[in-house]
Amino acid sequence: MTHALALPVPSAIGNIDAYIQVANRYPMLSEAEEIRLAERFHNDGDVDAARELVLSHLRLVISIARGYLGYGLPHADLIQEGNIGLMKAVKRFDPTRGVRLVSFAMHWIKAEIHEYILKNWRLVKVATTKAQRKLFFNLRGQKATYEGIDTLSGTQAGEVAARLGVKREEVIEMETRLSGRDLALEGSPDDGDEAFAPIDYLADSRYEPTRVLEDKAQARLHDEGLHEALGALDPRSRRIVEARWLADGDASTLHELAAEFDVSAERIRQIEVKALQKMRGLLTAA
């Protein structure tokens, strides 16, 4: 059997077909080999063992990522995010539990791809709850059960809502977002000098003096109220809110915070919801 370490490491830079071809050459591991490598990594810190576990499961990431091509994001980017999830799975994989890595890794791979899609897909920036995410990632498949239709009827939306455990109105709203299209604000050079694009009808009131003063006052009140609301939280809740909502760069995921506090991702979500409710009450009262 050819070991993964004897093969070249595929690069995501360049031709995606070439990457897939190389990744598919890595042999699948037997259960005994998988356990041996996992034990070498966790017991001895053998990075080469972890590397071989990752390389032998690249085809799994490719297969899962292919299922998310309908969201208009590059296949290579989806694979890259999935690979991050795979590496997290290898780090947390416990061979003594009797579960194969392929089954354990699927959750982590999908979680990373979901986070990437939600951060980059313009129509679902508000899809932050568990129910909204479930609806977003399952609505396309549910619509496919009704052959030959572009838009769900009220009855069909109700049936989908019942199957997914959400409200009928939420199905209709999400379908509207998914079917939305971008509108160019600026016209094409071929439109002519006298043509008007949508941007020509938009007034810019940002620098109107009264508006500037009002915005500054509102920002000051918001910052003061936010500081007081954060101060009312316990240290763990405050850390979660700041990492999820107030980070300068990319927001932390539930799984990253779960690893930091050694609890489940669902527990982090519960703490986040409770903290935001408390802050909302304080800000409303103010």
Side-chain angles (χ1 to χ4, degrees), residues 105-137:
M106 287 180 69
H107 164 77
W108 291 94
I109 295 169
K110 289 182 178 180
E112 289 298 320
I113 292 177
H114 286 186
E115 288 288 340
Y116 171 72
I117 292 174
L118 291 172
K119 285 181 180 179
N120 289 275
W121 219 60
R122 60 179 176 78
L123 295 176
V124 289
K125 291 296 184 182
V126 296
T128 55
T129 68
K130 185 176 181 180
Q132 287 173 328
R133 293 186 180 204
K134 180 180 179 181
L135 175 59
F136 171 60
F137 286 110

PDB file of all heavy atoms in Angstrom, residues 105-137:
ATOM      1  N   ALA A 105     -15.565  13.532  11.182  1.00  0.00           N
ATOM      2  CA  ALA A 105     -15.104  14.735  10.480  1.00  0.00           C
ATOM      3  C   ALA A 105     -16.208  15.425   9.695  1.00  0.00           C
ATOM      4  O   ALA A 105     -16.117  16.629   9.432  1.00  0.00           O
ATOM      5  CB  ALA A 105     -13.953  14.371   9.538  1.00  0.00           C
ATOM      6  N   MET A 106     -17.236  14.706   9.299  1.00  0.00           N
ATOM      7  CA  MET A 106     -18.282  15.313   8.471  1.00  0.00           C
ATOM      8  C   MET A 106     -18.892  16.533   9.140  1.00  0.00           C
ATOM      9  O   MET A 106     -19.158  17.546   8.493  1.00  0.00           O
ATOM     10  CB  MET A 106     -19.362  14.279   8.145  1.00  0.00           C
ATOM     11  CG  MET A 106     -18.925  13.231   7.136  1.00  0.00           C
ATOM     12  SD  MET A 106     -20.210  12.027   6.754  1.00  0.00           S
ATOM     13  CE  MET A 106     -21.371  13.073   5.869  1.00  0.00           C
ATOM     14  N   HIS A 107     -19.134  16.449  10.440  1.00  0.00           N
ATOM     15  CA  HIS A 107     -19.719  17.575  11.170  1.00  0.00           C
ATOM     16  C   HIS A 107     -18.823  18.799  11.111  1.00  0.00           C
ATOM     17  O   HIS A 107     -19.281  19.918  10.847  1.00  0.00           O
ATOM     18  CB  HIS A 107     -19.969  17.182  12.624  1.00  0.00           C
ATOM     19  CG  HIS A 107     -20.217  18.356  13.531  1.00  0.00           C
ATOM     20  ND1 HIS A 107     -21.420  19.016  13.570  1.00  0.00           N
ATOM     21  CD2 HIS A 107     -19.387  19.004  14.406  1.00  0.00           C
ATOM     22  CE1 HIS A 107     -21.336  20.020  14.433  1.00  0.00           C
ATOM     23  NE2 HIS A 107     -20.115  20.031  14.957  1.00  0.00           N
ATOM     24  N   TRP A 108     -17.532  18.625  11.345  1.00  0.00           N
ATOM     25  CA  TRP A 108     -16.600  19.746  11.383  1.00  0.00           C
ATOM     26  C   TRP A 108     -16.414  20.360  10.001  1.00  0.00           C
ATOM     27  O   TRP A 108     -16.305  21.576   9.858  1.00  0.00           O
ATOM     28  CB  TRP A 108     -15.253  19.278  11.948  1.00  0.00           C
ATOM     29  CG  TRP A 108     -15.348  18.952  13.406  1.00  0.00           C
ATOM     30  CD1 TRP A 108     -15.580  17.729  13.965  1.00  0.00           C
ATOM     31  CD2 TRP A 108     -15.244  19.871  14.497  1.00  0.00           C
ATOM     32  NE1 TRP A 108     -15.628  17.834  15.335  1.00  0.00           N
ATOM     33  CE2 TRP A 108     -15.417  19.130  15.689  1.00  0.00           C
ATOM     34  CE3 TRP A 108     -15.008  21.237  14.577  1.00  0.00           C
ATOM     35  CZ2 TRP A 108     -15.361  19.726  16.940  1.00  0.00           C
ATOM     36  CZ3 TRP A 108     -14.963  21.829  15.826  1.00  0.00           C
ATOM     37  CH2 TRP A 108     -15.136  21.081  16.993  1.00  0.00           C
ATOM     38  N   ILE A 109     -16.369  19.512   8.976  1.00  0.00           N
ATOM     39  CA  ILE A 109     -16.211  20.011   7.604  1.00  0.00           C
ATOM     40  C   ILE A 109     -17.414  20.855   7.211  1.00  0.00           C
ATOM     41  O   ILE A 109     -17.282  21.972   6.700  1.00  0.00           O
ATOM     42  CB  ILE A 109     -16.036  18.825   6.632  1.00  0.00           C
ATOM     43  CG1 ILE A 109     -14.729  18.092   6.926  1.00  0.00           C
ATOM     44  CG2 ILE A 109     -16.073  19.316   5.181  1.00  0.00           C
ATOM     45  CD1 ILE A 109     -14.582  16.762   6.200  1.00  0.00           C
ATOM     46  N   LYS A 110     -18.615  20.334   7.456  1.00  0.00           N
ATOM     47  CA  LYS A 110     -19.832  21.068   7.098  1.00  0.00           C
ATOM     48  C   LYS A 110     -19.956  22.357   7.908  1.00  0.00           C
ATOM     49  O   LYS A 110     -20.403  23.387   7.392  1.00  0.00           O
ATOM     50  CB  LYS A 110     -21.059  20.191   7.316  1.00  0.00           C
ATOM     51  CG  LYS A 110     -21.187  19.060   6.314  1.00  0.00           C
ATOM     52  CD  LYS A 110     -22.452  18.242   6.562  1.00  0.00           C
ATOM     53  CE  LYS A 110     -22.616  17.136   5.523  1.00  0.00           C
ATOM     54  NZ  LYS A 110     -23.837  16.335   5.766  1.00  0.00           N
ATOM     55  N   ALA A 111     -19.565  22.318   9.186  1.00  0.00           N
ATOM     56  CA  ALA A 111     -19.674  23.504  10.029  1.00  0.00           C
ATOM     57  C   ALA A 111     -18.818  24.641   9.490  1.00  0.00           C
ATOM     58  O   ALA A 111     -19.256  25.802   9.440  1.00  0.00           O
ATOM     59  CB  ALA A 111     -19.260  23.168  11.461  1.00  0.00           C
ATOM     60  N   GLU A 112     -17.594  24.332   9.056  1.00  0.00           N
ATOM     61  CA  GLU A 112     -16.714  25.368   8.516  1.00  0.00           C
ATOM     62  C   GLU A 112     -17.245  25.913   7.194  1.00  0.00           C
ATOM     63  O   GLU A 112     -17.197  27.117   6.933  1.00  0.00           O
ATOM     64  CB  GLU A 112     -15.296  24.812   8.318  1.00  0.00           C
ATOM     65  CG  GLU A 112     -14.536  24.562   9.597  1.00  0.00           C
ATOM     66  CD  GLU A 112     -14.304  25.827  10.407  1.00  0.00           C
ATOM     67  OE1 GLU A 112     -14.015  26.878   9.805  1.00  0.00           O
ATOM     68  OE2 GLU A 112     -14.401  25.760  11.649  1.00  0.00           O
ATOM     69  N   ILE A 113     -17.759  25.030   6.338  1.00  0.00           N
ATOM     70  CA  ILE A 113     -18.305  25.469   5.049  1.00  0.00           C
ATOM     71  C   ILE A 113     -19.539  26.329   5.281  1.00  0.00           C
ATOM     72  O   ILE A 113     -19.732  27.359   4.623  1.00  0.00           O
ATOM     73  CB  ILE A 113     -18.627  24.255   4.156  1.00  0.00           C
ATOM     74  CG1 ILE A 113     -17.324  23.560   3.737  1.00  0.00           C
ATOM     75  CG2 ILE A 113     -19.406  24.689   2.917  1.00  0.00           C
ATOM     76  CD1 ILE A 113     -17.536  22.301   2.912  1.00  0.00           C
ATOM     77  N   HIS A 114     -20.382  25.933   6.222  1.00  0.00           N
ATOM     78  CA  HIS A 114     -21.584  26.727   6.528  1.00  0.00           C
ATOM     79  C   HIS A 114     -21.198  28.127   6.997  1.00  0.00           C
ATOM     80  O   HIS A 114     -21.788  29.125   6.566  1.00  0.00           O
ATOM     81  CB  HIS A 114     -22.409  26.025   7.607  1.00  0.00           C
ATOM     82  CG  HIS A 114     -23.142  24.826   7.108  1.00  0.00           C
ATOM     83  ND1 HIS A 114     -24.042  24.122   7.876  1.00  0.00           N
ATOM     84  CD2 HIS A 114     -23.114  24.193   5.914  1.00  0.00           C
ATOM     85  CE1 HIS A 114     -24.529  23.114   7.183  1.00  0.00           C
ATOM     86  NE2 HIS A 114     -23.982  23.136   5.992  1.00  0.00           N
ATOM     87  N   GLU A 115     -20.213  28.207   7.885  1.00  0.00           N
ATOM     88  CA  GLU A 115     -19.784  29.507   8.392  1.00  0.00           C
ATOM     89  C   GLU A 115     -19.267  30.385   7.256  1.00  0.00           C
ATOM     90  O   GLU A 115     -19.560  31.577   7.186  1.00  0.00           O
ATOM     91  CB  GLU A 115     -18.684  29.326   9.449  1.00  0.00           C
ATOM     92  CG  GLU A 115     -19.158  28.758  10.770  1.00  0.00           C
ATOM     93  CD  GLU A 115     -19.984  29.754  11.578  1.00  0.00           C
ATOM     94  OE1 GLU A 115     -19.880  30.976  11.321  1.00  0.00           O
ATOM     95  OE2 GLU A 115     -20.738  29.313  12.457  1.00  0.00           O
ATOM     96  N   TYR A 116     -18.518  29.776   6.347  1.00  0.00           N
ATOM     97  CA  TYR A 116     -17.955  30.529   5.230  1.00  0.00           C
ATOM     98  C   TYR A 116     -19.060  31.063   4.315  1.00  0.00           C
ATOM     99  O   TYR A 116     -19.034  32.224   3.903  1.00  0.00           O
ATOM    100  CB  TYR A 116     -17.014  29.628   4.432  1.00  0.00           C
ATOM    101  CG  TYR A 116     -16.530  30.232   3.136  1.00  0.00           C
ATOM    102  CD1 TYR A 116     -15.597  31.269   3.130  1.00  0.00           C
ATOM    103  CD2 TYR A 116     -17.020  29.779   1.912  1.00  0.00           C
ATOM    104  CE1 TYR A 116     -15.162  31.826   1.945  1.00  0.00           C
ATOM    105  CE2 TYR A 116     -16.593  30.341   0.720  1.00  0.00           C
ATOM    106  CZ  TYR A 116     -15.660  31.356   0.747  1.00  0.00           C
ATOM    107  OH  TYR A 116     -15.240  31.916  -0.438  1.00  0.00           O
ATOM    108  N   ILE A 117     -20.036  30.229   4.013  1.00  0.00           N
ATOM    109  CA  ILE A 117     -21.129  30.647   3.135  1.00  0.00           C
ATOM    110  C   ILE A 117     -21.923  31.774   3.780  1.00  0.00           C
ATOM    111  O   ILE A 117     -22.250  32.778   3.140  1.00  0.00           O
ATOM    112  CB  ILE A 117     -22.044  29.454   2.807  1.00  0.00           C
ATOM    113  CG1 ILE A 117     -21.306  28.441   1.924  1.00  0.00           C
ATOM    114  CG2 ILE A 117     -23.315  29.918   2.096  1.00  0.00           C
ATOM    115  CD1 ILE A 117     -22.076  27.160   1.672  1.00  0.00           C
ATOM    116  N   LEU A 118     -22.244  31.629   5.053  1.00  0.00           N
ATOM    117  CA  LEU A 118     -23.046  32.637   5.737  1.00  0.00           C
ATOM    118  C   LEU A 118     -22.310  33.969   5.862  1.00  0.00           C
ATOM    119  O   LEU A 118     -22.931  35.029   5.868  1.00  0.00           O
ATOM    120  CB  LEU A 118     -23.461  32.136   7.120  1.00  0.00           C
ATOM    121  CG  LEU A 118     -24.475  30.983   7.107  1.00  0.00           C
ATOM    122  CD1 LEU A 118     -24.670  30.441   8.513  1.00  0.00           C
ATOM    123  CD2 LEU A 118     -25.803  31.439   6.533  1.00  0.00           C
ATOM    124  N   LYS A 119     -21.003  33.944   5.946  1.00  0.00           N
ATOM    125  CA  LYS A 119     -20.240  35.179   6.054  1.00  0.00           C
ATOM    126  C   LYS A 119     -20.097  35.874   4.706  1.00  0.00           C
ATOM    127  O   LYS A 119     -19.887  37.087   4.650  1.00  0.00           O
ATOM    128  CB  LYS A 119     -18.836  34.897   6.615  1.00  0.00           C
ATOM    129  CG  LYS A 119     -18.802  34.615   8.107  1.00  0.00           C
ATOM    130  CD  LYS A 119     -17.379  34.369   8.569  1.00  0.00           C
ATOM    131  CE  LYS A 119     -17.325  34.077  10.069  1.00  0.00           C
ATOM    132  NZ  LYS A 119     -15.937  33.806  10.520  1.00  0.00           N
ATOM    133  N   ASN A 120     -20.180  35.114   3.628  1.00  0.00           N
ATOM    134  CA  ASN A 120     -19.885  35.677   2.321  1.00  0.00           C
ATOM    135  C   ASN A 120     -21.077  35.799   1.389  1.00  0.00           C
ATOM    136  O   ASN A 120     -20.970  36.442   0.349  1.00  0.00           O
ATOM    137  CB  ASN A 120     -18.809  34.826   1.624  1.00  0.00           C
ATOM    138  CG  ASN A 120     -17.455  34.978   2.268  1.00  0.00           C
ATOM    139  OD1 ASN A 120     -16.707  35.894   1.965  1.00  0.00           O
ATOM    140  ND2 ASN A 120     -17.142  34.080   3.190  1.00  0.00           N
ATOM    141  N   TRP A 121     -22.201  35.193   1.749  1.00  0.00           N
ATOM    142  CA  TRP A 121     -23.349  35.266   0.847  1.00  0.00           C
ATOM    143  C   TRP A 121     -24.215  36.429   1.251  1.00  0.00           C
ATOM    144  O   TRP A 121     -24.781  36.463   2.334  1.00  0.00           O
ATOM    145  CB  TRP A 121     -24.130  33.944   0.870  1.00  0.00           C
ATOM    146  CG  TRP A 121     -24.616  33.571  -0.488  1.00  0.00           C
ATOM    147  CD1 TRP A 121     -23.851  33.349  -1.588  1.00  0.00           C
ATOM    148  CD2 TRP A 121     -25.976  33.361  -0.880  1.00  0.00           C
ATOM    149  NE1 TRP A 121     -24.643  33.010  -2.644  1.00  0.00           N
ATOM    150  CE2 TRP A 121     -25.960  33.017  -2.250  1.00  0.00           C
ATOM    151  CE3 TRP A 121     -27.189  33.442  -0.224  1.00  0.00           C
ATOM    152  CZ2 TRP A 121     -27.106  32.744  -2.959  1.00  0.00           C
ATOM    153  CZ3 TRP A 121     -28.335  33.174  -0.938  1.00  0.00           C
ATOM    154  CH2 TRP A 121     -28.292  32.821  -2.288  1.00  0.00           C
ATOM    155  N   ARG A 122     -24.352  37.418   0.399  1.00  0.00           N
ATOM    156  CA  ARG A 122     -24.966  38.706   0.708  1.00  0.00           C
ATOM    157  C   ARG A 122     -26.401  38.594   1.204  1.00  0.00           C
ATOM    158  O   ARG A 122     -26.868  39.418   1.970  1.00  0.00           O
ATOM    159  CB  ARG A 122     -24.969  39.586  -0.551  1.00  0.00           C
ATOM    160  CG  ARG A 122     -25.740  38.936  -1.675  1.00  0.00           C
ATOM    161  CD  ARG A 122     -25.794  39.769  -2.929  1.00  0.00           C
ATOM    162  NE  ARG A 122     -26.462  39.042  -3.992  1.00  0.00           N
ATOM    163  CZ  ARG A 122     -27.760  38.894  -4.098  1.00  0.00           C
ATOM    164  NH1 ARG A 122     -28.548  39.421  -3.198  1.00  0.00           N
ATOM    165  NH2 ARG A 122     -28.297  38.199  -5.079  1.00  0.00           N
ATOM    166  N   LEU A 123     -27.143  37.561   0.755  1.00  0.00           N
ATOM    167  CA  LEU A 123     -28.574  37.513   1.037  1.00  0.00           C
ATOM    168  C   LEU A 123     -28.908  36.975   2.416  1.00  0.00           C
ATOM    169  O   LEU A 123     -30.040  37.052   2.852  1.00  0.00           O
ATOM    170  CB  LEU A 123     -29.295  36.651  -0.016  1.00  0.00           C
ATOM    171  CG  LEU A 123     -29.257  37.199  -1.442  1.00  0.00           C
ATOM    172  CD1 LEU A 123     -29.907  36.219  -2.396  1.00  0.00           C
ATOM    173  CD2 LEU A 123     -29.974  38.533  -1.501  1.00  0.00           C
ATOM    174  N   VAL A 124     -27.930  36.382   3.094  1.00  0.00           N
ATOM    175  CA  VAL A 124     -28.262  35.717   4.357  1.00  0.00           C
ATOM    176  C   VAL A 124     -27.419  36.235   5.515  1.00  0.00           C
ATOM    177  O   VAL A 124     -27.096  35.501   6.421  1.00  0.00           O
ATOM    178  CB  VAL A 124     -28.106  34.188   4.240  1.00  0.00           C
ATOM    179  CG1 VAL A 124     -29.193  33.604   3.388  1.00  0.00           C
ATOM    180  CG2 VAL A 124     -26.745  33.832   3.671  1.00  0.00           C
ATOM    181  N   LYS A 125     -27.044  37.505   5.476  1.00  0.00           N
ATOM    182  CA  LYS A 125     -26.283  38.058   6.589  1.00  0.00           C
ATOM    183  C   LYS A 125     -27.063  37.965   7.898  1.00  0.00           C
ATOM    184  O   LYS A 125     -26.487  37.926   8.970  1.00  0.00           O
ATOM    185  CB  LYS A 125     -25.961  39.526   6.306  1.00  0.00           C
ATOM    186  CG  LYS A 125     -24.955  39.729   5.162  1.00  0.00           C
ATOM    187  CD  LYS A 125     -23.608  39.149   5.496  1.00  0.00           C
ATOM    188  CE  LYS A 125     -22.603  39.437   4.391  1.00  0.00           C
ATOM    189  NZ  LYS A 125     -21.294  38.846   4.674  1.00  0.00           N
ATOM    190  N   VAL A 126     -28.419  37.935   7.827  1.00  0.00           N
ATOM    191  CA  VAL A 126     -29.209  37.878   9.052  1.00  0.00           C
ATOM    192  C   VAL A 126     -29.551  36.452   9.461  1.00  0.00           C
ATOM    193  O   VAL A 126     -30.232  36.253  10.449  1.00  0.00           O
ATOM    194  CB  VAL A 126     -30.519  38.682   8.883  1.00  0.00           C
ATOM    195  CG1 VAL A 126     -30.216  40.152   8.664  1.00  0.00           C
ATOM    196  CG2 VAL A 126     -31.356  38.143   7.726  1.00  0.00           C
ATOM    197  N   ALA A 127     -29.107  35.475   8.712  1.00  0.00           N
ATOM    198  CA  ALA A 127     -29.431  34.080   9.039  1.00  0.00           C
ATOM    199  C   ALA A 127     -28.506  33.603  10.146  1.00  0.00           C
ATOM    200  O   ALA A 127     -27.551  32.885   9.907  1.00  0.00           O
ATOM    201  CB  ALA A 127     -29.300  33.186   7.800  1.00  0.00           C
ATOM    202  N   THR A 128     -28.785  34.021  11.356  1.00  0.00           N
ATOM    203  CA  THR A 128     -27.879  33.744  12.471  1.00  0.00           C
ATOM    204  C   THR A 128     -28.416  32.703  13.438  1.00  0.00           C
ATOM    205  O   THR A 128     -27.648  32.130  14.197  1.00  0.00           O
ATOM    206  CB  THR A 128     -27.589  35.035  13.251  1.00  0.00           C
ATOM    207  OG1 THR A 128     -28.829  35.621  13.657  1.00  0.00           O
ATOM    208  CG2 THR A 128     -26.846  36.025  12.375  1.00  0.00           C
ATOM    209  N   THR A 129     -29.708  32.466  13.449  1.00  0.00           N
ATOM    210  CA  THR A 129     -30.244  31.480  14.383  1.00  0.00           C
ATOM    211  C   THR A 129     -30.133  30.087  13.785  1.00  0.00           C
ATOM    212  O   THR A 129     -29.985  29.912  12.571  1.00  0.00           O
ATOM    213  CB  THR A 129     -31.724  31.760  14.711  1.00  0.00           C
ATOM    214  OG1 THR A 129     -32.512  31.521  13.524  1.00  0.00           O
ATOM    215  CG2 THR A 129     -31.920  33.205  15.145  1.00  0.00           C
ATOM    216  N   LYS A 130     -30.211  29.101  14.649  1.00  0.00           N
ATOM    217  CA  LYS A 130     -30.109  27.716  14.197  1.00  0.00           C
ATOM    218  C   LYS A 130     -31.225  27.369  13.218  1.00  0.00           C
ATOM    219  O   LYS A 130     -30.997  26.700  12.204  1.00  0.00           O
ATOM    220  CB  LYS A 130     -30.160  26.780  15.416  1.00  0.00           C
ATOM    221  CG  LYS A 130     -29.952  25.314  15.076  1.00  0.00           C
ATOM    222  CD  LYS A 130     -29.926  24.474  16.334  1.00  0.00           C
ATOM    223  CE  LYS A 130     -29.698  22.999  16.013  1.00  0.00           C
ATOM    224  NZ  LYS A 130     -29.682  22.175  17.255  1.00  0.00           N
ATOM    225  N   ALA A 131     -32.440  27.852  13.491  1.00  0.00           N
ATOM    226  CA  ALA A 131     -33.581  27.567  12.615  1.00  0.00           C
ATOM    227  C   ALA A 131     -33.393  28.209  11.248  1.00  0.00           C
ATOM    228  O   ALA A 131     -33.693  27.609  10.207  1.00  0.00           O
ATOM    229  CB  ALA A 131     -34.878  28.053  13.252  1.00  0.00           C
ATOM    230  N   GLN A 132     -32.884  29.463  11.214  1.00  0.00           N
ATOM    231  CA  GLN A 132     -32.666  30.147   9.951  1.00  0.00           C
ATOM    232  C   GLN A 132     -31.590  29.458   9.123  1.00  0.00           C
ATOM    233  O   GLN A 132     -31.714  29.334   7.905  1.00  0.00           O
ATOM    234  CB  GLN A 132     -32.276  31.602  10.213  1.00  0.00           C
ATOM    235  CG  GLN A 132     -33.434  32.466  10.681  1.00  0.00           C
ATOM    236  CD  GLN A 132     -32.969  33.846  11.098  1.00  0.00           C
ATOM    237  OE1 GLN A 132     -31.861  34.022  11.597  1.00  0.00           O
ATOM    238  NE2 GLN A 132     -33.822  34.841  10.904  1.00  0.00           N
ATOM    239  N   ARG A 133     -30.553  28.998   9.793  1.00  0.00           N
ATOM    240  CA  ARG A 133     -29.492  28.299   9.063  1.00  0.00           C
ATOM    241  C   ARG A 133     -30.005  26.981   8.494  1.00  0.00           C
ATOM    242  O   ARG A 133     -29.694  26.616   7.359  1.00  0.00           O
ATOM    243  CB  ARG A 133     -28.302  28.048   9.987  1.00  0.00           C
ATOM    244  CG  ARG A 133     -27.598  29.324  10.421  1.00  0.00           C
ATOM    245  CD  ARG A 133     -26.353  29.026  11.214  1.00  0.00           C
ATOM    246  NE  ARG A 133     -25.709  30.258  11.621  1.00  0.00           N
ATOM    247  CZ  ARG A 133     -24.423  30.361  11.910  1.00  0.00           C
ATOM    248  NH1 ARG A 133     -23.648  29.307  11.824  1.00  0.00           N
ATOM    249  NH2 ARG A 133     -23.897  31.519  12.277  1.00  0.00           N
ATOM    250  N   LYS A 134     -30.775  26.267   9.265  1.00  0.00           N
ATOM    251  CA  LYS A 134     -31.346  25.011   8.785  1.00  0.00           C
ATOM    252  C   LYS A 134     -32.228  25.260   7.572  1.00  0.00           C
ATOM    253  O   LYS A 134     -32.176  24.514   6.586  1.00  0.00           O
ATOM    254  CB  LYS A 134     -32.161  24.355   9.907  1.00  0.00           C
ATOM    255  CG  LYS A 134     -32.799  23.025   9.503  1.00  0.00           C
ATOM    256  CD  LYS A 134     -33.585  22.438  10.671  1.00  0.00           C
ATOM    257  CE  LYS A 134     -34.247  21.121  10.267  1.00  0.00           C
ATOM    258  NZ  LYS A 134     -35.037  20.548  11.385  1.00  0.00           N
ATOM    259  N   LEU A 135     -33.023  26.318   7.637  1.00  0.00           N
ATOM    260  CA  LEU A 135     -33.905  26.658   6.522  1.00  0.00           C
ATOM    261  C   LEU A 135     -33.085  27.033   5.299  1.00  0.00           C
ATOM    262  O   LEU A 135     -33.373  26.587   4.180  1.00  0.00           O
ATOM    263  CB  LEU A 135     -34.819  27.818   6.924  1.00  0.00           C
ATOM    264  CG  LEU A 135     -35.737  28.404   5.840  1.00  0.00           C
ATOM    265  CD1 LEU A 135     -36.657  27.326   5.282  1.00  0.00           C
ATOM    266  CD2 LEU A 135     -36.559  29.551   6.418  1.00  0.00           C
ATOM    267  N   PHE A 136     -32.045  27.845   5.479  1.00  0.00           N
ATOM    268  CA  PHE A 136     -31.223  28.296   4.366  1.00  0.00           C
ATOM    269  C   PHE A 136     -30.585  27.125   3.633  1.00  0.00           C
ATOM    270  O   PHE A 136     -30.608  27.054   2.403  1.00  0.00           O
ATOM    271  CB  PHE A 136     -30.148  29.243   4.895  1.00  0.00           C
ATOM    272  CG  PHE A 136     -29.107  29.620   3.874  1.00  0.00           C
ATOM    273  CD1 PHE A 136     -29.464  30.267   2.710  1.00  0.00           C
ATOM    274  CD2 PHE A 136     -27.772  29.331   4.087  1.00  0.00           C
ATOM    275  CE1 PHE A 136     -28.510  30.626   1.773  1.00  0.00           C
ATOM    276  CE2 PHE A 136     -26.818  29.677   3.162  1.00  0.00           C
ATOM    277  CZ  PHE A 136     -27.186  30.334   2.001  1.00  0.00           C
ATOM    278  N   PHE A 137     -30.014  26.179   4.382  1.00  0.00           N
ATOM    279  CA  PHE A 137     -29.272  25.096   3.757  1.00  0.00           C
ATOM    280  C   PHE A 137     -30.163  23.941   3.284  1.00  0.00           C
ATOM    281  O   PHE A 137     -29.678  23.023   2.628  1.00  0.00           O
ATOM    282  CB  PHE A 137     -28.207  24.552   4.719  1.00  0.00           C
ATOM    283  CG  PHE A 137     -27.033  25.471   4.872  1.00  0.00           C
ATOM    284  CD1 PHE A 137     -26.822  26.159   6.051  1.00  0.00           C
ATOM    285  CD2 PHE A 137     -26.157  25.673   3.832  1.00  0.00           C
ATOM    286  CE1 PHE A 137     -25.748  27.021   6.199  1.00  0.00           C
ATOM    287  CE2 PHE A 137     -25.081  26.537   3.954  1.00  0.00           C
ATOM    288  CZ  PHE A 137     -24.873  27.201   5.143  1.00  0.00           C
TER     289      PHE A 137
END
